[in-house]
Amino acid sequence: MKTVLVTGFAPFGGETVNPSLEAIKPFAGWKTDTYTVETREIPTVFGKAIETLYAAMEDVVPDLVICVGQAGGRPDLSIERVALNVNDARIPDNEGNQPIDTPIVPNGPVGYWSTLPVKAMVHELRRHGIPASVSHTAGTFVCNHLFYGLMHYIAESQRPIRGGFIHIPYLPEQAARHPGQPSMALETVVKGLRIAIDVAFRQEEDIATSEGSIC
Amino acid sequence: MKTVLVTGFAPFGGETVNPSLEAIKPFAGWKTDTYTVETREIPTVFGKAIETLYAAMEDVVPDLVICVGQAGGRPDLSIERVALNVNDARIPDNEGNQPIDTPIVPNGPVGYWSTLPVKAMVHELRRHGIPASVSHTAGTFVCNHLFYGLMHYIAESQRPIRGGFIHIPYLPEQAARHPGQPSMALETVVKGLRIAIDVAFRQEEDIATSEGSIC
Amino acid sequence: MKTVLVTGFAPFGGETVNPSLEAIKPFAGWKTDTYTVETREIPTVFGKAIETLYAAMEDVVPDLVICVGQAGGRPDLSIERVALNVNDARIPDNEGNQPIDTPIVPNGPVGYWSTLPVKAMVHELRRHGIPASVSHTAGTFVCNHLFYGLMHYIAESQRPIRGGFIHIPYLPEQAARHPGQPSMALETVVKGLRIAIDVAFRQEEDIATSEGSIC
Amino acid sequence: MKTVLVTGFAPFGGETVNPSLEAIKPFAGWKTDTYTVETREIPTVFGKAIETLYAAMEDVVPDLVICVGQAGGRPDLSIERVALNVNDARIPDNEGNQPIDTPIVPNGPVGYWSTLPVKAMVHELRRHGIPASVSHTAGTFVCNHLFYGLMHYIAESQRPIRGGFIHIPYLPEQAARHPGQPSMALETVVKGLRIAIDVAFRQEEDIATSEGSIC
């Protein structure tokens, strides 16, 4: 029996809800024939986000880690391809920190690739009717921060853990307060995460179809 | 007991599904204390759309009519404010017609206002967590065509029927084939239509808050 | 010798410049073999905008009138097709008025069509490398207000004046303060207006190609 | 006297013009008191793009290199912050190559940061009325390919060359054939590049203001 760790973030930026936190709740204690899922809430705070993740990883000893975060303005499940070693906060985090152009890991590599099969995930999601795409930027706020922290941990640990990050849209109730912004129902997101976890779990090699962008 | 007629369109433009048709199905035969709902499918064909609507109106004798249509690319429930007397088809309809700059009703007025309380509907939808907005263009395809036909019938009949049009986003399964497009879950749309019908039914006067656009 | 009246608006909404005002300046006193151009600045104020236009029309006695306005967020020259009889101001005008759901002309028709050859203008603009499109909504602020006032004057006067409205993007210097918004260089706008005036002047009948929108 | 190398790409993707190639032409042989500019055309072909750049760098021995590329759909001058070590071509290049998920430099680092003062450039551009922003993805086509190749050369050479990449919008004449897409006049782009080169040349340290994105 293997273990999957799935994380979501606390609400931030004036929102009272974070879709990533709502979306992971149904996975708490979820079991299939081959894996069980553990869920954790991550504070939307630079530094503490990574500390909380690392404590969870020591506790859970996962084989697969998927961090989930809110991407207000995006219309689909964005499977992130790369984490960058920079904090550049456009707004303060939940404790008022607003780092600008600081490294997440001093002397760490510029970036880490997701080790999830991002294209296989996108294709399987679409096949099940869930809007999804590969993203080449996870931003420069706490989401990217956590994603980089995750991949750095995995790289340093040299254990065969696989990890990645998924950005999800606003919930409809959030978009109702942000006219013009796209949203996705919680049920659609949850169904999508279930598929994404499943594909990530059973497939190590990605598929070779283009999901690139010209610019 | 009053009667509400709700219509949806047949799939068009290469789609195998039309969210408006799916969204009205749960309302077939739906009853509340004060009204019953009748639903009808409208062909996505210039001319026949209006003929089918008129036959339904003769049959049902509704007090309130809400026509629903697909607006691929829009992120929310768009409550249409005005119908224009022009057909200008960017693509052929389901029978290959592609009228350009023809009037829907020769010598008819340039436009008809919706007689639904469009702003009250938007506000009540948002209050229930459903993304919604007032729209000032229903396009120039079969949706606007039907909307204009509806309002013309009401104007001519001089009966106290009230009517309007709601555009809805792609379903997630459609957006999965149109990367980058927003979508809305069927359940969210259905919940929204129920609220919209309810507000439209019980409220004749609209509220006076701005939902205007600068351009 | 015929006369063309071209108008632009005063800056509004916190801007220090209005591209429509800048763009009409080069046309002041401009003459071709067949027409001369008069330009006027219109205050961005409900009521006064129309009064100023009407005074100019009495003064100039134009054969053709093209009103120009700023459409922040639009990427091209939007040739407006229809004016609607409603004021619904999302922000106050330059004198603090913010009418909501008032008619521009009590008991006036719902809308007036532009009497310019909107599609011929779009096609000729594109042929000269100027981004352009037909628009089916001029908004509900002072631009639509003026446009409706213009077309109402023409309808009432029963003189063979032709008229319409063109929305233009932010200038680059404005977009530099609104990151993510499209813009158009003043030179491109001016070149486009010259083409638009020319086509509008020499062509009464529009061309029959689709510039419709599905929704 | 120092030397700046500025490159632009050949047209691709069905376009007959590439704004980056047009925009660098006025800089050929351009001199200021402290530097001269050399320009080169880069083929829009994986592999050959980098070979051509490297030959130019051997030839010119530049102190500063700015590569420029077309970003159809973007509204402003995008100063790229990071190049990624991946080719993922959504369309074929000009010789029919369409690499998917291949490294640009086998065993090269995941990414390279631009060594230009990207935020100082954005701020100075905006101050001069030129729309600009920091971008965190240069895509996965030949633009990113060249950018990565440039930064790899600089890293390997251990010479004090500084380098980066700027994406620019469609020209108006291109957007006229892609309705709805933003554009920028050649004159605006050229003015912007001149400012960008100047800032890049005279300023080594970047400024510490946030240009980050939340996601």
Side-chain angles (χ1 to χ4, degrees):
Chain A
M1 184 62 68
K2 303 238 175 162
T3 305
V4 179
L5 173 62
V6 180
T7 72
F9 278 104
F12 70 94
E15 301 290 327
T16 55
V17 70
N18 189 313
S20 68
L21 194 57
E22 303 309 311
I24 69 166
K25 284 180 184 167
F27 293 96
W30 193 55
K31 285 169 205 257
T32 71
D33 287 350
T34 47
Y35 61 88
T36 62
V37 179
E38 293 274 343
T39 60
R40 289 293 189 283
E41 175 174 344
I42 303 289
T44 305
V45 177
F46 286 98
K48 287 192 182 167
I50 290 177
E51 289 163 26
T52 305
L53 174 68
Y54 286 3
M57 291 180 77
E58 296 299 325
D59 181 31
V60 168
V61 193
D63 300 283
L64 177 70
V65 184
I66 297 183
C67 299
V68 185
Q70 167 189 304
R74 293 197 189 175
D76 59 10
L77 300 190
S78 277
I79 317 298
E80 296 295 348
R81 192 165 188 173
V82 66
L84 295 177
N85 190 16
V86 69
N87 299 313
D88 188 1
R90 194 161 61 71
I91 59 172
D93 70 18
N94 285 356
E95 293 191 354
N97 308 299
Q98 193 170 0
I100 293 181
D101 296 350
T102 59
I104 298 164
V105 174
N107 304 311
V110 168
Y112 282 110
W113 299 115
S114 170
T115 49
L116 304 185
V118 296
K119 294 180 175 183
M121 291 163 77
V122 163
H123 281 243
E124 194 68 4
L125 285 164
R126 288 182 185 161
R127 206 174 63 80
H128 282 83
I130 313 283
S133 58
V134 172
S135 164
H136 295 91
T137 172
T140 58
F141 196 56
V142 187
C143 287
N144 173 73
H145 177 84
L146 182 72
F147 180 18
Y148 188 93
L150 165 64
M151 301 316 297
H152 187 68
Y153 179 101
I154 292 174
E156 295 288 305
S157 77
Q158 305 205 333
R159 280 189 267 155
I161 310 167
R162 290 160 66 232
F165 196 98
I166 301 179
H167 263 122
I168 65 177
Y170 280 139
L171 293 173
E173 67 195 78
Q174 296 177 286
R177 293 188 304 270
H178 298 288
Q181 295 301 319
S183 63
M184 190 175 278
L186 188 58
E187 292 68 23
T188 311
V189 176
V190 169
K191 185 182 165 196
L193 288 183
R194 183 169 171 165
I195 293 164
I197 294 168
D198 231 53
V199 175
F201 195 82
R202 70 169 190 260
Q203 188 158 347
E204 288 217 16
E205 284 288 297
D206 205 353
I207 57 175
T209 55
S210 176
E211 293 293 332
S213 71
I214 291 178
C215 65
Chain B
M1 185 60 70
K2 303 237 175 163
T3 305
V4 179
L5 173 63
V6 181
T7 71
F9 277 104
F12 70 93
E15 300 292 325
T16 55
V17 69
N18 188 313
S20 68
L21 193 57
E22 302 308 311
I24 68 166
K25 284 179 185 167
F27 292 96
W30 191 57
K31 286 171 205 254
T32 72
D33 287 350
T34 47
Y35 61 88
T36 61
V37 179
E38 293 274 343
T39 60
R40 289 293 189 283
E41 175 174 343
I42 303 289
T44 305
V45 177
F46 286 98
K48 285 191 184 170
I50 290 178
E51 290 164 25
T52 305
L53 174 68
Y54 286 3
M57 291 180 78
E58 296 298 325
D59 180 31
V60 167
V61 192
D63 300 282
L64 177 70
V65 184
I66 297 183
C67 298
V68 185
Q70 166 189 305
R74 293 198 190 174
D76 59 10
L77 300 191
S78 279
I79 317 298
E80 296 295 347
R81 191 165 188 174
V82 65
L84 295 177
N85 190 16
V86 68
N87 299 312
D88 188 0
R90 194 162 61 71
I91 59 171
D93 69 18
N94 283 356
E95 292 191 354
N97 309 299
Q98 193 170 2
I100 293 181
D101 296 349
T102 58
I104 298 164
V105 174
N107 304 312
V110 168
Y112 282 112
W113 299 114
S114 170
T115 49
L116 304 184
V118 296
K119 293 179 175 183
M121 291 162 78
V122 163
H123 281 244
E124 194 68 5
L125 285 164
R126 288 182 185 161
R127 205 174 63 79
H128 283 83
I130 313 283
S133 58
V134 173
S135 165
H136 294 91
T137 172
T140 57
F141 196 56
V142 187
C143 287
N144 172 74
H145 176 84
L146 182 71
F147 181 18
Y148 188 94
L150 165 64
M151 301 317 296
H152 187 69
Y153 179 101
I154 293 174
E156 295 288 304
S157 77
Q158 304 205 334
R159 280 189 267 156
I161 309 167
R162 290 160 66 233
F165 197 98
I166 300 178
H167 263 122
I168 64 176
Y170 280 138
L171 293 172
E173 67 195 77
Q174 295 177 287
R177 293 188 304 270
H178 298 288
Q181 295 301 319
S183 63
M184 191 176 277
L186 187 59
E187 292 68 23
T188 310
V189 177
V190 169
K191 184 183 166 197
L193 288 183
R194 184 170 170 164
I195 293 164
I197 293 169
D198 232 52
V199 175
F201 195 81
R202 70 168 189 262
Q203 187 158 348
E204 287 217 16
E205 284 288 297
D206 204 353
I207 58 175
T209 55
S210 176
E211 293 294 332
S213 71
I214 291 178
C215 65
Chain C
M1 184 62 68
K2 304 235 174 164
T3 306
V4 179
L5 173 63
V6 180
T7 72
F9 278 104
F12 69 95
E15 300 291 326
T16 54
V17 69
N18 188 314
S20 68
L21 194 57
E22 303 309 311
I24 68 165
K25 283 179 184 167
F27 293 96
W30 193 56
K31 287 171 204 256
T32 72
D33 287 350
T34 48
Y35 60 88
T36 62
V37 179
E38 292 275 343
T39 60
R40 288 293 188 284
E41 174 175 343
I42 303 289
T44 306
V45 178
F46 286 98
K48 286 192 183 168
I50 291 177
E51 288 163 27
T52 305
L53 175 68
Y54 286 3
M57 291 180 76
E58 296 299 324
D59 180 32
V60 168
V61 193
D63 300 283
L64 177 70
V65 185
I66 297 184
C67 298
V68 186
Q70 166 189 304
R74 294 197 188 174
D76 59 9
L77 299 190
S78 279
I79 317 298
E80 297 294 347
R81 191 165 188 174
V82 66
L84 295 177
N85 190 16
V86 69
N87 299 312
D88 187 1
R90 194 161 61 69
I91 59 171
D93 70 17
N94 284 357
E95 292 191 356
N97 309 299
Q98 193 171 1
I100 293 181
D101 296 351
T102 58
I104 297 164
V105 174
N107 304 312
V110 169
Y112 282 111
W113 299 115
S114 170
T115 49
L116 304 185
V118 295
K119 294 179 175 184
M121 291 162 78
V122 164
H123 280 244
E124 193 68 4
L125 285 164
R126 289 182 184 160
R127 205 173 65 79
H128 282 83
I130 312 283
S133 58
V134 172
S135 164
H136 295 91
T137 172
T140 58
F141 196 55
V142 187
C143 288
N144 173 74
H145 177 83
L146 183 71
F147 181 17
Y148 188 93
L150 165 64
M151 301 316 296
H152 186 68
Y153 179 101
I154 293 174
E156 296 289 304
S157 77
Q158 305 206 332
R159 280 189 268 156
I161 309 167
R162 290 162 65 232
F165 196 98
I166 300 179
H167 264 122
I168 64 177
Y170 280 138
L171 293 173
E173 67 195 77
Q174 295 177 287
R177 295 189 302 271
H178 299 288
Q181 296 301 319
S183 63
M184 190 176 277
L186 187 58
E187 292 69 23
T188 310
V189 176
V190 169
K191 184 182 165 195
L193 289 183
R194 184 170 171 164
I195 293 164
I197 294 168
D198 231 51
V199 175
F201 195 82
R202 70 168 190 260
Q203 187 159 347
E204 287 217 16
E205 285 288 296
D206 205 354
I207 57 175
T209 54
S210 176
E211 292 295 329
S213 71
I214 291 179
C215 65
Chain D
M1 185 62 67
K2 303 237 175 161
T3 305
V4 179
L5 173 63
V6 180
T7 72
F9 278 104
F12 70 94
E15 301 292 326
T16 55
V17 70
N18 188 314
S20 68
L21 193 57
E22 302 308 312
I24 68 166
K25 284 179 185 169
F27 293 96
W30 192 56
K31 286 171 205 254
T32 72
D33 287 349
T34 47
Y35 60 89
T36 61
V37 179
E38 293 274 342
T39 59
R40 288 292 189 283
E41 175 175 344
I42 303 289
T44 305
V45 177
F46 286 98
K48 286 190 183 169
I50 290 177
E51 289 163 25
T52 305
L53 175 68
Y54 286 4
M57 291 180 77
E58 296 299 326
D59 180 31
V60 167
V61 193
D63 300 282
L64 176 69
V65 184
I66 297 184
C67 299
V68 186
Q70 166 189 303
R74 294 198 188 174
D76 60 10
L77 299 191
S78 279
I79 317 297
E80 298 294 347
R81 192 164 187 173
V82 66
L84 296 176
N85 190 15
V86 68
N87 300 312
D88 187 2
R90 194 161 61 70
I91 58 171
D93 70 16
N94 284 356
E95 292 190 356
N97 308 299
Q98 194 170 2
I100 293 181
D101 296 350
T102 58
I104 298 164
V105 174
N107 304 312
V110 168
Y112 282 110
W113 299 114
S114 170
T115 50
L116 304 185
V118 295
K119 294 179 175 184
M121 291 161 77
V122 163
H123 281 243
E124 194 68 4
L125 284 164
R126 288 182 185 160
R127 205 173 65 79
H128 282 83
I130 312 283
S133 59
V134 172
S135 164
H136 294 91
T137 172
T140 57
F141 196 56
V142 187
C143 287
N144 173 72
H145 176 83
L146 182 71
F147 181 17
Y148 188 93
L150 165 64
M151 301 317 296
H152 187 68
Y153 179 100
I154 292 174
E156 295 288 305
S157 77
Q158 306 204 334
R159 281 188 268 158
I161 309 167
R162 292 161 65 233
F165 196 99
I166 300 179
H167 263 121
I168 64 176
Y170 280 138
L171 293 172
E173 67 195 78
Q174 293 178 288
R177 293 188 305 268
H178 298 288
Q181 295 300 320
S183 63
M184 189 175 278
L186 186 59
E187 291 69 23
T188 311
V189 176
V190 169
K191 184 182 165 196
L193 288 183
R194 184 169 170 164
I195 293 164
I197 293 168
D198 232 51
V199 176
F201 194 82
R202 70 169 189 261
Q203 188 157 347
E204 286 218 16
E205 284 288 297
D206 205 354
I207 58 175
T209 55
S210 176
E211 293 294 331
S213 71
I214 292 179
C215 64

